[in-house]
Amino acid sequence: MTNIKLQVNGMSCRHCVVSVEGALKDIGASGKVDLENGTVEVTYDENRITTEQIKAAIEEQGYDVV
């Protein structure tokens, strides 16, 4: 398993947490949102999921991965 921390702009509330964590779960990853720091820690199997897929899943929810 691989862990990455992404900086994500636009997250500000509980709905944001649910949206991002749910989108990651849907692609087979797990994520933990830190609203205070604007980050998402993601754990995933690098043999099944790419970082581009992770970023796309978050961006599809309306947030910007920087």
Side-chain angles (χ1 to χ4, degrees):
M1 291 299 222
T2 300
N3 295 306
I4 59 170
K5 184 181 274 190
L6 300 172
Q7 187 72 38
V8 180
N9 291 336
M11 301 183 302
S12 61
C13 65
R14 180 75 185 139
H15 172 74
C16 300
V17 172
V18 171
S19 293
V20 170
E21 291 180 358
L24 293 171
K25 184 177 180 183
D26 287 347
I27 64 167
S30 64
K32 175 110 173 81
V33 173
D34 181 341
L35 288 176
E36 187 174 320
N37 293 311
T39 59
V40 180
E41 289 187 46
V42 184
T43 302
Y44 65 102
D45 181 347
E46 67 278 1
N47 294 315
R48 298 181 67 208
I49 303 169
T50 66
T51 55
E52 292 307 314
Q53 288 172 303
I54 292 168
K55 290 176 183 178
I58 294 170
E59 289 175 346
E60 285 174 6
Q61 299 305 307
Y63 307 102
D64 295 318
V65 179
V66 290

